Amino acid sequence: MAPDLVRGHLHLATSSGFGHYAHRVRHDVIIIGGGVSGLAWARDLALAGMKPLVLEAGNRYDKRTYPRTELDGSAQLYWGGGVELTQDAAIGILRPKVVGGGSIVNQALMDRFDDVALDDWRADSGIDWFSADGMDEWYTRAEAAVAINTVPEEYRNRNAEIFAEGFRRNGYVSAPLRRAQSDCHFEDGNSCVECLTGCRIDSKQSSAITALPKAEAAGATLIPQVEVLRITERADHVEITGRYSVASPRAGEIEVWHADRIVLASGAIGNTRLLLASGYQERLPALGTEFYVHPQYMNFGVFDEPVNAHRGPLQSYKSADPGFRRQGFKLENVYAGPSSVSLLMPGYGRAHMAKMRSMPHFGCIEVCVRDTNPGRIRLGKGGVTLVDKKLNAEDRRRRSAGMTAIRNIFVSMGARNIIEGDVGIGLHLMGGCRIGSDPSTSVVDPEFRLHGSSRIHAADSSVFPHAPGINPSLTVSALTIRAAAGIVKEA
């Protein structure tokens, strides 16, 4: 194992952006991406005695410095200033760009995958440990690393009551959501809608407050605001070339790091883009394929009495109906800030304003589709990342079935009008570097190494073989813990 290394890097400071090496520091491992997977890697490898370096494109915040407005949060915490669009603009992709990744901006819903998802993954990938028994140890370890709770019934808001009671009246089955949260102090009037731009009381169990402190205490180093541009495998190490963001004190500077091995942990789009930009397409023909997003559509029921869905816990319930699972969709009670909701409202001018004035009367239920039609991530002119992703007839049928259930719920609860969202939202970004035993159809092997490489690893949502139809966060953590244990064993 490499010796303890100080935070020394290669500063290249010529006018052209590239220069001569002042010195060469060799890291045990460099982790590209400081989200759920990246920080779990850093924690486990550091606790095992390694000295990982984490490079993250986004900024590092804490409970005192998170953006406090919705618009600032969109601009500062996401790629694309809040949203990136697929090529046909039918799906808006929300890709976190912040230390802590999706655990900062999402509601951190923590579910194990069921037999439906794991059986499909096993059959598709040829990996026999994709099963409830094979994943149990790693799920257990992932669950032990965070506090997981449900929202106490006495604190559920009116939107959650509409969801739960509407399910009961229609004979559907619902269940409380398992959330990575602790001590939210709902009794003080705290509203989770604020947590979409970072939790100001550290109740949300983001990887920035669970994994990162342990990693740094054990010797890991994090450098935020660095976008990695390319990687180059050498005979005995890997070179990583990155550029500091415009918000960094070293804005625009190019730097090169060296490591015995690297971990790709920047998600489906980030990992795929980096490998494509580094020339891996010919070597890995499946690179960029089998991309899924769980398209989500927010639907609003307008009620005579105020619902105030933005108050209190943002999400409390999910569908747990076997019929919904068979039909390929799930429902959740959700909400968002006014800017986001306004983008989903039809109409213009006064008609749009009239709808927004009714916002306190909106109940909201989201249908999330387990998509069957994979997309593709590719590079366009100038290295621009392009995403091709559409719904096929089966995906549209699944969405329609979910919306029928939502209409039944809202009507049974007395909604006087229903506004159906027609803009798909991609929050769960999966695939592009799918795992499998066959290098012709997958990018990462069953040991979480890039096919043909002993120095490049990945275990985040980019390795998902296809859409599971279940929130991915807990499984990302479980896969990462398993992968890190494999590296530690080798070392």
Side-chain angles (χ1 to χ4, degrees):
M1 187 175 295
D4 191 346
L5 299 174
V6 298
R7 185 178 172 177
H9 312 120
L10 299 175
H11 181 199
L12 310 180
T14 67
S15 60
S16 65
F18 291 89
H20 298 289
Y21 296 154
H23 59 288
R24 176 172 293 185
V25 174
R26 182 80 159 264
H27 295 272
D28 292 332
V29 59
I30 292 179
I31 301 164
I32 302 170
V36 172
S37 181
L39 297 184
W41 274 104
R43 176 199 61 212
D44 288 6
L45 296 181
L47 289 173
M50 302 177 78
K51 302 297 179 185
L53 170 66
V54 182
L55 303 177
E56 162 59 41
N59 202 358
R60 181 174 184 172
Y61 298 88
D62 61 32
K63 63 183 179 182
R64 296 173 296 275
T65 60
Y66 285 122
R68 293 267 49 94
T69 70
E70 184 184 9
L71 291 178
D72 286 343
S74 294
Q76 297 175 34
L77 304 180
Y78 290 91
W79 290 89
V83 65
E84 300 168 292
L85 296 174
T86 56
Q87 283 295 283
D88 64 354
I91 298 175
I93 292 172
L94 304 184
R95 184 163 58 116
K97 184 182 181 183
V98 58
V99 174
S103 66
I104 299 294
V105 298
N106 294 335
Q107 282 294 292
L109 307 182
M110 308 292 277
D111 285 329
R112 295 188 178 201
F113 286 1
D114 60 10
D115 289 338
V116 173
L118 291 172
D119 289 351
D120 287 349
W121 275 22
R122 186 171 63 254
D124 190 59
S125 67
I127 298 174
D128 59 7
W129 48 262
F130 279 140
S131 66
D133 289 340
M135 288 292 293
D136 180 66
E137 175 185 354
W138 314 106
Y139 276 136
T140 299
R141 291 192 190 186
E143 290 163 342
V146 297
I148 300 177
N149 294 285
T150 59
V151 175
E153 190 168 322
E154 62 267 29
Y155 295 123
R156 66 181 184 179
N157 64 9
R158 179 58 182 158
N159 194 38
E161 291 176 353
I162 289 170
F163 186 94
E165 178 60 19
F167 263 65
R168 189 192 66 79
R169 292 183 181 184
N170 285 275
Y172 305 147
V173 181
S174 66
L177 284 164
R178 293 181 359 128
R179 310 192 329 170
Q181 63 178 39
S182 177
D183 300 324
C184 290
H185 297 288
F186 295 125
E187 68 277 7
D188 296 331
N190 290 335
S191 296
C192 290
V193 72
E194 293 187 36
C195 287
L196 297 179
T197 56
C199 182
R200 65 178 178 177
I201 58 174
D202 279 348
S203 295
K204 186 190 292 184
Q205 298 285 282
S206 73
S207 56
I209 67 167
T210 55
L212 181 55
K214 293 180 180 178
E216 290 183 319
T221 300
L222 169 73
I223 305 179
Q225 297 183 317
V226 173
E227 181 181 0
V228 175
L229 304 176
R230 64 180 176 273
I231 57 175
T232 305
E233 285 186 86
R234 302 301 185 188
D236 63 344
H237 71 283
V238 184
E239 290 179 1
I240 301 95
T241 302
R243 179 174 56 216
Y244 288 86
S245 76
V246 294
S248 167
R250 296 174 60 179
E253 290 183 17
I254 300 291
E255 192 160 338
V256 177
W257 292 266
H258 299 257
D260 291 333
R261 65 179 86 213
I262 67 169
V263 169
L264 305 177
S266 54
I269 293 177
N271 289 350
T272 301
R273 183 208 64 78
L274 180 56
L275 290 173
L276 289 171
S278 301
Y280 281 85
Q281 180 66 75
E282 184 175 348
R283 171 174 155 186
L284 300 167
L287 181 61
T289 66
E290 302 296 323
F291 174 66
Y292 299 86
V293 301
H294 283 163
Q296 301 172 43
Y297 297 86
M298 295 175 66
N299 302 273
F300 303 90
V302 185
F303 293 83
D304 290 329
E305 298 298 321
V307 176
N308 293 320
H310 62 286
R311 294 182 181 172
L314 182 65
Q315 291 179 278
S316 301
Y317 290 102
K318 64 179 179 180
S319 60
D321 195 287
F324 291 0
R325 182 64 167 147
R326 287 192 298 272
Q327 294 181 74
F329 70 88
K330 67 184 180 73
L331 307 181
E332 293 175 359
N333 78 290
V334 298
Y335 214 59
S339 297
S340 300
V341 171
S342 70
L343 295 174
L344 303 175
M345 288 296 108
Y348 301 91
R350 291 181 179 178
H352 187 273
M353 186 179 296
K355 289 184 174 65
M356 288 304 297
R357 284 175 175 159
S358 299
M359 187 173 168
H361 295 260
F362 289 172
C364 183
I365 299 176
E366 176 182 81
V367 55
C368 177
V369 175
R370 186 188 185 197
D371 41 334
T372 64
N373 188 42
R376 186 181 187 101
I377 303 164
R378 54 190 177 89
L379 294 184
K381 292 182 178 179
V384 175
T385 307
L386 305 176
V387 178
D388 301 302
K389 181 73 175 78
K390 297 181 179 180
L391 274 64
N392 60 11
E394 173 59 19
D395 295 341
R396 292 193 294 271
R397 184 202 63 76
R398 294 180 177 200
R399 174 191 170 194
S400 178
M403 288 186 165
T404 296
I406 291 172
R407 285 193 294 271
N408 292 341
I409 293 167
F410 279 148
V411 169
S412 71
M413 294 300 294
R416 57 180 169 83
N417 187 26
I418 297 173
I419 303 171
E420 295 184 349
D422 58 1
V423 177
I425 302 169
L427 286 171
H428 303 161
L429 310 178
M430 305 164 289
C433 300
R434 65 202 308 253
I435 193 170
S437 56
D438 184 351
S440 68
T441 59
S442 61
V443 175
V444 173
D445 72 19
E447 301 303 320
F448 301 98
R449 293 174 300 215
L450 214 64
H451 281 297
S453 174
S454 62
R455 299 184 181 277
I456 302 177
H457 309 256
D460 62 5
S461 63
S462 71
V463 309
F464 283 21
H466 53 241
I470 297 174
N471 296 73
S473 184
L474 183 64
T475 300
V476 169
S477 296
L479 293 179
T480 298
I481 292 169
R482 178 179 179 126
I487 286 184
V488 170
K489 185 177 179 180
E490 287 180 15

